[in-house]
Amino acid sequence: MSNYIQLFKDALKGDEERDYTSLSINKGIFLLSVPMVIEMFFEASFALADAFFVARYVGTLGVAAVGLTESVLTIIYSMAWGLSSAAAAVLARRIGEKDNQKAGLALANVILISVSLGLIIASFGYYFSTDILRLMGGSEELVQEGHWYTRIQFLSSPIIILLFTLSGSLRGAGSASLAMKSVIIANVLNIALDYLFIPVMGLGIKGAAIATMIGRTVGVLYQLYILTNASSKLQLILKGFIPKKTIIVNVLKIAAGSTGQFLIQSASWVFMVRILSIYGSEVIAGYTIALRIIIFTILPSWGLANSGATLVGQNLGAGKAERAVKSAWTIAYMNMAFMTFIAIFFFLFAKPFIMFFDNTPQVVETGVSCLKILASGYIIFALGMVITQAINGAGDTLPPTIFNLVCFWFIQIPLAYYLAEKVGWRETGVFVSIVVADFILAISAVVYFKTNRWQKKKV
């Protein structure tokens, strides 16, 4: 038992000199996944904390406004996740090759890309915040309640993207514990400021957005402090801030696939919310609360999947393809076991979870239905998540992008509308369509992974 406790402490502490291509696979998975799971746990807490304080101190209309805004913001998160995956893949390969100089140059260019993209999105979102809420089906009352939340969240786009991409860079370099610490700092500050701004100062939904922006900003500043430390294995190189065409093209090529995957998913979620808006603000609120709870459990699962991406990338860089394959399957089985436990937990306690946020009957009914239906597909979803991330970790992002496009746009969206409106299942039809799409996506990823074509991808 003492050995496991010490291993856990080592995982939290991190070791800049640790070589994950030579450790035992199980030990490498543990040392990487523990801080990644904790990081994702705290990342999930951002949305959960905002939903909690808004539900308690603003009301159902405020929660619905958060839900509509977040459904559009997932497009930003998609770009951030995509760039994060690209950064992790490139840096994992460079670290696996023991080329820290090129890793530092790549990191600087990742920052340039992140800031540039974030500023463009921030400008667009700031000026069109009310139009975005109306486009999503929000009533005029909801638009007036939530437009400042939308505006502030869009303004923080550069910070959102940087927090993700710098964390991805640290994970790719094997410094998962440092990425974890930055997100913990950002999240704890966000929760404290949520309490200060919403119930104490009475800033309402606007206070939630300001708290999140400040928390994430501090997290990014901490990451930059780490990356400018002379003792860091992954270190920023100042001359790298002069754009390098080859590096930018390489990162963007990989990011295009990863971003495409998340954009496809996010756009499908926007359509899901648009369909749900037909049935009123209480249905949207119930879905929003359920989704926050689901994200709270799925993001730690993403932590496991991200450890697989790092191990695949570093082992391919070291010329150890068999270790890459074994690492991915080992993590997949772990993730399936974890998500099975979560699914059972949701089936037993879905109602108390939803009522903790809002006890409005229609909100509770929708939220409980969403939790239970989506939990029924958790096992296969967990498998697909890990295998897809393993393929992305190899830098082979095109096949998963195609799988996402087919499953979410050509299957999920039409099926959701058909089941909700034509069959008459309403919101239940939307939830069922999500499970069906996730099942087909997982099977597609596994079939492709077994071909081993991803092992030949040059990064």
Side-chain angles (χ1 to χ4, degrees):
M1 178 61 71
S2 60
N3 289 337
Y4 287 106
I5 294 175
Q6 184 58 49
L7 195 61
F8 185 78
K9 290 180 179 178
D10 290 342
L12 294 180
K13 182 179 179 181
D15 184 351
E16 288 287 289
E17 302 304 319
R18 186 176 290 138
D19 184 357
Y20 290 96
T21 64
S22 59
L23 288 175
S24 73
I25 291 177
N26 287 338
K27 185 175 182 180
I29 290 172
F30 187 87
L31 291 171
L32 275 175
S33 63
V34 166
M36 287 187 185
V37 167
I38 295 174
E39 177 194 348
M40 293 298 104
F41 175 86
F42 277 93
E43 178 60 41
S45 298
F46 274 110
L48 201 63
D50 284 354
F52 172 79
F53 282 103
V54 171
R56 283 295 180 92
Y57 300 103
V58 179
T60 299
L61 193 65
V63 176
V66 171
L68 290 182
T69 300
E70 288 291 326
S71 68
V72 179
L73 286 176
T74 51
I75 296 175
I76 300 175
Y77 299 143
S78 298
M79 296 179 183
W81 271 111
L83 282 171
S84 177
S85 297
V90 171
L91 290 166
R93 196 68 71 94
R94 298 292 86 82
I95 294 298
E97 295 167 351
K98 307 296 188 294
D99 195 338
N100 292 356
Q101 177 78 7
K102 285 187 178 179
L105 291 173
L107 173 63
N109 278 263
V110 165
I111 292 175
L112 287 175
I113 295 168
S114 301
V115 173
S116 300
L117 181 61
L119 290 174
I120 293 171
I121 296 172
S123 301
F124 176 83
Y126 180 83
Y127 288 107
F128 295 103
S129 57
T130 55
D131 299 297
I132 289 169
L133 290 175
R134 291 191 184 99
L135 183 65
M136 289 300 299
S139 63
E140 284 304 312
E141 186 181 7
L142 186 147
V143 170
Q144 291 304 313
E145 178 75 28
H147 77 279
W148 267 110
Y149 180 86
T150 308
R151 183 167 290 177
I152 294 169
Q153 289 285 38
F154 269 101
L155 277 177
S156 65
S157 296
I159 296 299
I160 292 173
I161 295 174
L162 274 175
L163 187 65
F164 276 79
T165 54
L166 292 179
S167 290
S169 299
L170 288 166
R171 288 195 302 268
S175 301
S177 63
L178 295 177
M180 171 195 73
K181 291 171 186 176
S182 67
V183 174
I184 290 176
I185 290 170
N187 193 264
V188 170
L189 182 57
N190 173 59
I191 293 172
L193 291 177
D194 264 340
Y195 178 76
L196 175 64
F197 291 156
I198 300 175
V200 176
M201 297 179 63
L203 295 179
I205 191 173
K206 184 192 297 184
I210 295 172
T212 301
M213 182 170 66
I214 293 174
R216 283 183 166 138
T217 300
V218 172
V220 168
L221 291 175
Y222 177 75
Q223 290 173 329
L224 292 173
Y225 168 76
I226 291 169
L227 293 167
T228 52
N229 192 315
S231 62
S232 177
K233 177 170 63 176
L234 176 60
Q235 190 174 5
L236 271 174
I237 297 176
L238 291 179
K239 65 180 181 180
F241 283 102
I242 300 173
K244 305 290 184 182
K245 182 179 178 180
T246 54
I247 296 176
I248 291 176
V249 170
N250 190 29
V251 170
L252 289 179
K253 279 175 65 178
I254 300 171
S258 298
T259 301
Q261 292 169 42
F262 289 109
L263 277 174
I264 289 165
Q265 292 181 35
S266 300
S268 72
W269 284 100
V270 170
F271 280 106
M272 296 297 103
V273 174
R274 186 63 185 88
I275 295 171
L276 290 173
S277 69
I278 297 172
Y279 309 116
S281 294
E282 290 182 341
V283 169
I284 297 175
Y287 168 76
T288 299
I289 292 171
L291 193 60
R292 293 298 172 276
I293 296 170
I294 288 168
I295 290 173
F296 192 72
T297 57
I298 284 180
L299 283 185
S301 188
W302 267 109
L304 275 172
N306 284 334
S307 69
T310 297
L311 287 173
V312 166
Q314 290 198 9
N315 279 300
L316 287 179
K320 300 178 179 180
E322 289 186 9
R323 278 178 59 92
V325 173
K326 187 174 181 181
S327 298
W329 281 115
T330 303
I331 293 171
Y333 296 139
M334 290 179 178
N335 206 28
M336 291 169 73
F338 169 72
M339 293 298 278
T340 298
F341 171 77
I342 295 299
I344 294 171
F345 199 72
F346 278 168
F347 273 106
L348 294 175
F349 303 107
K351 189 172 183 178
F353 267 123
I354 301 298
M355 291 186 69
F356 179 75
F357 290 87
D358 193 323
N359 57 12
T360 305
Q362 181 63 57
V363 173
V364 174
E365 182 182 347
T366 301
V368 170
S369 175
C370 183
L371 278 182
K372 289 186 175 181
I373 292 173
L374 266 60
S376 67
Y378 265 16
I379 298 175
I380 191 68
F381 175 71
L383 172 63
M385 180 192 299
V386 173
I387 298 303
T388 299
Q389 277 300 89
I391 298 170
N392 285 328
D396 190 14
T397 56
L398 180 59
T401 303
I402 296 172
F403 301 153
N404 275 266
L405 182 64
V406 172
C407 293
F408 291 114
W409 282 19
F410 298 150
I411 296 176
Q412 180 177 279
I413 295 173
L415 182 62
Y417 181 79
Y418 177 77
L419 293 177
E421 288 289 284
K422 301 301 181 181
V423 178
W425 287 5
R426 291 168 55 92
E427 61 269 21
T428 299
V430 174
F431 306 149
V432 169
S433 72
I434 295 170
V435 175
V436 172
D438 284 336
F439 178 85
I440 297 172
L441 177 64
I443 298 302
S444 302
V446 169
V447 170
Y448 180 76
F449 186 79
K450 287 187 173 183
T451 67
N452 292 330
R453 293 176 186 172
W454 51 274
Q455 296 179 15
K456 301 173 185 178
K457 183 70 176 180
K458 302 296 181 183
V459 174

